[in-house]
Amino acid sequence: SDEPSGTVPDVESDLSGDADATGSVAGSDTVDTSVNLDTGGVDIDRMLEDDDDSQGLFDDLMAGEPIFRNKEVLRPSYTPHELPHRTDQINQMATILVSALRGDTPSNILIYGKTGTGKTASAKFVSQELESTSQKYDVPCEVEYINCEITDTQYRVLAQLANKFIEKNREIVAGRLEDLRDLRSEATEAGTATLADTEYDDVSAVDDRIADLETDREEMEEVPMTGWPTDRVYSKFFDAIDYHERVVVIMLDEIDKLVEKSGDDTLYNLSRMNSELENSRISIMGISNDLKFTDFLDPRVKSSLGEEEIVFPPYDANQLRDILQHRSDVAFKDDALTDDVIPLCAAFAAQEHGDARRALDLLRTAGELAERSQAETVEEQHVRQAQDKIELDRVVEVVRTLPTQSKIVLFAT
């Protein structure tokens, strides 16, 4: 602070007197960084070295041997290749939907059953089989799945469906354009004789068709998830689905949530579309755990929607045991479960209403708890811990999904 402004202190003279202490002579080009500073004696070189022996945050957790081989098969989103104890219901769906493979319109289906009775898994299984068989026989048949607990308004349902078909139509147009351009090239090089077996008389006809398809592709505008009038969205969906010949099965999971939120306008419009469509045909497959939701529907919608009804009864403890055994063979490594784990999971789930989803959650959570504690096997104690953990989550979930009046009563209490 005593130095005149603009001058620099004589650092070199200060350092030269400390040559013995620093091990460095003033003016030299090297500095020994291993000096022990007065602030604590930090060895900079040693601090910067990588210590290969140190354990990171996840190293200890990764050190244990994993119990799971494929945990995803225990999640509700997984569709198994085989569904034990649902053969009758699957066959019922198949006999109704087989008409789609003949180019006819299948009857609408309503599927009822409590939570975790295999409704969605069975419907998805049948849908996958239907689509794969349609490709085998070269029959245009498509299935679209919508979860109405998430997509719960008429606008969102129609917009989501419209965008799915617009995307598929674009792919179809792109394929046709590629074929036509190849055909045009051949006709230009080899002459119009190459067009003999086609619907085109000359190259200009091919050019006209290419121009038409390019115009179609430009007009295939995606529907925004908000902002349009509902009738415009419906018109866009109608045009997209009727663009070419196909049979479409629209699977509406948790269909009662859609009716509860938006009324039956969506179902009315969808169920009446076949009378207006020229190229396509639509069938609706509704899935619900509310047996009485159709009581609130318009009689016309109710009669057309419930043409076929399939009920999924709850699983008993023995059936749940078979399901868990079937999944655990794929989900866990060999000998990862003690003998009492699967029977206990099945018993806990059967106590409620035969909820297979609950049984699978229990088994998966028990495996996760065992893995976290670095146990070599899943044991009974892990199942009981999982039961306590899930039970707490269930109380919160049950209260959250109560009807408004029940919430008011509970709050008042």
Side-chain angles (χ1 to χ4, degrees):
S1 61
D2 295 335
E3 290 292 328
S5 175
T7 65
V8 180
D10 188 357
V11 179
E12 185 176 342
S13 63
D14 290 344
L15 287 172
S16 63
D18 295 332
D20 292 339
T22 62
S24 169
V25 179
S28 68
D29 294 331
T30 59
V31 178
D32 185 355
T33 54
S34 64
V35 61
N36 289 331
L37 303 177
D38 294 338
T39 53
V42 178
D43 188 334
I44 299 174
D45 284 342
R46 191 176 302 157
M47 182 181 72
L48 293 176
E49 285 178 359
D50 290 332
D51 186 358
D52 294 335
D53 296 330
S54 66
Q55 290 289 308
L57 176 62
F58 292 98
D59 290 327
D60 288 339
L61 297 172
M62 291 294 291
E65 196 67 27
I67 289 175
F68 290 102
R69 181 184 289 139
N70 183 2
K71 193 193 295 186
E72 294 306 307
V73 303
L74 298 177
R75 296 193 183 278
S77 56
Y78 176 77
T79 303
H81 300 297
E82 184 182 341
L83 286 154
H85 307 293
R86 284 296 176 252
T87 306
D88 291 345
Q89 288 78 11
I90 287 171
N91 287 338
Q92 272 184 274
M93 279 187 268
T95 54
I96 295 166
L97 294 174
V98 71
S99 57
L101 298 173
R102 302 188 183 107
D104 300 326
T105 309
S107 299
N108 296 324
I109 306 171
L110 273 182
I111 298 172
Y112 296 106
K114 289 184 175 290
T115 303
T117 51
K119 304 183 300 297
T120 302
S122 298
K124 284 185 174 180
F125 174 80
V126 172
S127 301
Q128 289 173 2
E129 289 289 310
L130 180 67
E131 287 190 320
S132 62
T133 308
S134 71
Q135 292 171 4
K136 180 178 171 183
Y137 289 100
D138 197 23
V139 178
C141 184
E142 300 166 16
V143 181
E144 292 299 335
Y145 173 85
I146 290 183
N147 186 340
C148 296
E149 191 163 25
I150 300 168
T151 311
D152 58 355
T153 65
Q154 180 176 206
Y155 186 106
R156 290 178 185 172
V157 169
L158 294 175
Q160 187 171 323
L161 287 170
N163 288 337
K164 284 182 178 181
F165 287 109
I166 286 169
E167 185 180 347
K168 289 183 177 184
N169 292 343
R170 282 176 177 166
E171 293 173 2
I172 291 167
V173 169
R176 288 177 180 173
L177 283 171
E178 187 177 350
D179 292 341
L180 285 170
R181 285 173 182 142
D182 290 343
L183 180 64
R184 188 188 187 285
S185 298
E186 290 177 17
T188 305
E189 293 172 6
T192 55
T194 56
L195 301 175
D197 296 331
T198 68
E199 59 185 289
Y200 307 105
D201 297 328
D202 51 33
V203 174
S204 63
V206 178
D207 288 337
D208 291 342
R209 182 57 181 152
I210 289 173
D212 290 342
L213 287 172
E214 286 176 340
T215 303
D216 287 350
R217 186 168 61 180
E218 288 172 6
E219 292 175 353
M220 290 176 184
E221 175 190 8
E222 284 198 358
V223 179
M225 293 314 290
T226 56
W228 283 12
T230 305
D231 58 346
R232 184 183 174 189
V233 180
Y234 177 80
S235 176
K236 201 76 177 175
F237 164 60
F238 184 93
D239 293 340
I241 204 169
D242 206 32
Y243 185 72
H244 73 100
E245 185 179 350
R246 57 187 156 199
V247 177
V248 177
V249 179
I250 298 174
M251 193 189 309
L252 299 173
D253 201 357
E254 307 282 357
I255 190 173
D256 50 292
K257 297 288 192 294
L258 177 64
V259 174
E260 182 182 315
K261 179 78 178 283
S262 306
D264 55 11
D265 289 348
T266 312
L267 301 180
Y268 179 80
N269 288 329
L270 291 175
S271 63
R272 309 289 287 186
M273 278 184 72
N274 283 329
S275 60
E276 302 170 21
L277 290 168
E278 294 181 5
N279 300 315
S280 300
R281 292 290 176 265
I282 284 182
S283 173
I284 301 169
M285 182 188 294
I287 303 172
S288 173
N289 53 19
D290 182 0
L291 293 167
K292 296 185 177 181
F293 93 95
T294 54
D295 294 350
F296 305 100
L297 295 177
D298 183 291
R300 292 170 297 175
V301 178
K302 186 176 179 180
S303 62
S304 63
L305 189 64
E307 292 173 335
E308 300 278 356
E309 295 187 354
I310 302 174
V311 178
F312 279 65
Y315 294 109
D316 60 34
N318 291 328
Q319 291 173 334
L320 288 171
R321 197 178 304 178
D322 290 343
I323 293 167
L324 292 178
Q325 188 64 57
H326 189 261
R327 298 278 188 104
S328 67
D329 290 342
V330 183
F332 291 95
K333 292 190 171 182
D334 295 337
D335 302 322
L337 305 179
T338 57
D339 293 340
D340 50 1
V341 167
I342 287 178
L344 188 58
C345 288
F348 276 138
Q351 281 176 359
E352 286 197 20
H353 53 251
D355 187 343
R357 193 175 301 168
R358 171 65 177 266
L360 291 167
D361 282 347
L362 263 175
L363 186 57
R364 190 191 72 252
T365 306
E368 289 171 347
L369 292 172
E371 206 168 55
R372 287 172 199 167
S373 63
Q374 296 190 355
E376 294 182 358
T377 56
V378 185
E379 300 175 1
E380 179 185 338
Q381 60 174 342
H382 298 124
V383 177
R384 296 192 182 279
Q385 289 170 9
Q387 168 74 350
D388 293 339
K389 184 176 184 297
I390 291 175
E391 193 61 45
L392 182 62
D393 295 341
R394 280 300 173 100
V395 171
V396 175
E397 179 68 15
V398 167
V399 172
R400 187 182 71 79
T401 56
L402 283 175
T404 305
Q405 301 299 332
S406 301
K407 284 181 181 174
I408 292 170
V409 171
L410 180 62
F411 183 64
T413 307

